[in-house]
Amino acid sequence: MQQQKWLITGVSSGLGRAFAQAALAAGHTVVGTVRSEEDLRAFEALGPGSAHGRILDVTDGDAVTAVVAEVERNVGPLDVVVANAGYGLEGTFEETPLAEVRRQFEVNVFGTVATLRAALPFMRQRRSGRLMAVTSMGGLMAVPGMSAYCGSKFALEGILESLDKEVAQFGIHVTAIEPGSFRTDWAGRSMTRAERSVGDYDELFVPIREARQKASGNQLGNPARAGEAVVHIASIDRPPAHLVLGSDALRLIAAARTAVDEDIRAWETLSRSTDFAEGAQL
């Protein structure tokens, strides 16, 4: 396998750490972004000489641009960029404050956009590169109590699909990574939870919140295997536009897509009825 230079945001824990470890194990050079000096030292200890830490807040667009440019100068041309940094926000739509929704999008959407935009000009000039971003199975299906999170991931799915069509002409591949439930801290200490305030949602939401907290640390998905999968698709000539990770994600996404297809079929006549009878005027 050809040695590559990677940039991965959010490598202090979770899937970002797993992606970085898999890339390092495969002999690649990895620049990982973290939020503290302590996390930087811990990351660089994973692969002295191959693991390079950078402190970065992905919501600071100017800082993201500066870090990517500095990495291109001092580490070398980036072959693979994985926009992984993000977090989960749990809460019913009505109970989640607007400020928290905005923060969710600031990190999950705009932080990802800033990362990919910063790397794109370099890859475009070289006519090669892999741009990846971690969305979620929650970017292709939705569950109660995660409207802000799923909304941010659905937004990323649309951005990535459009981007892929724009940059394919330059030899750049775009992949949305869509994990299911993996054995990380995502559903534990890493998740932000909106305060409860409306009792009418108790019957629906209390069991969901309790089940998620109980499952934390016992999820089906193996982060190391996810890392290996991402490293694999970064090495092939035609990587997928969508990489679903985990059998739970496969099942839930398939069910959600079936429901959409059923609505389309059931209401096809009404949908067609909204056209002008004489057709388009060209």
Side-chain angles (χ1 to χ4, degrees), residues 198-213:
V198 182
D200 284 346
Y201 294 107
D202 287 355
E203 184 176 355
L204 170 71
F205 187 58
V206 168
I208 292 173
R209 174 169 279 184
E210 290 177 348
R212 183 174 291 120
Q213 290 173 319

Side-chain angles (χ1 to χ4, degrees), residues 10 23 34 38 124 170 190 214 220 234 241 251 255 268 281:
V34 296
E38 180 182 2
R124 175 173 51 77
F170 306 130
S190 297
K214 183 178 180 180
L220 176 66
R251 173 175 53 83
E268 180 179 358
Q281 302 300 298

Side-chain angles (χ1 to χ4, degrees), residues 132-263:
M132 304 186 193
V134 178
T135 65
S136 168
M137 64 178 175
L140 294 173
M141 51 77 67
V143 295
M146 298 290 291
S147 59
Y149 177 78
C150 290
S152 72
K153 297 303 187 178
F154 266 74
L156 277 184
E157 289 284 341
I159 290 168
L160 294 171
E161 189 165 328
S162 181
L163 174 61
D164 185 43
K165 292 175 170 60
E166 293 174 1
V167 302
Q169 62 181 319
F170 306 130
I172 299 170
H173 299 281
V174 179
T175 298
I177 302 169
E178 295 137 351
S181 298
F182 278 78
R183 205 165 294 181
T184 68
D185 287 331
W186 179 84
R189 65 178 178 84
S190 297
M191 178 170 284
T192 297
R193 291 180 161 86
E195 292 186 11
R196 297 298 320 284
S197 59
V198 182
D200 284 346
Y201 294 107
D202 287 355
E203 184 176 355
L204 170 71
F205 187 58
V206 168
I208 292 173
R209 174 169 279 184
E210 290 177 348
R212 183 174 291 120
Q213 290 173 319
K214 183 178 180 180
S216 181
N218 301 296
Q219 294 94 332
L220 176 66
N222 183 335
R225 293 288 181 86
E228 292 167 0
V230 169
V231 169
H232 171 67
I233 65 158
S235 70
I236 60 178
D237 291 337
R238 299 186 66 179
H242 299 274
L243 178 65
V244 177
L245 298 176
S247 58
D248 58 341
L250 286 172
R251 173 175 53 83
L252 292 168
I253 290 170
R257 296 175 75 85
T258 297
V260 172
D261 290 343
E262 289 174 352
D263 268 354

Side-chain angles (χ1 to χ4, degrees), residues 21-35:
Q21 288 175 311
L24 289 167
H28 302 309
T29 298
V30 180
V31 179
T33 75
V34 296
R35 297 295 301 275

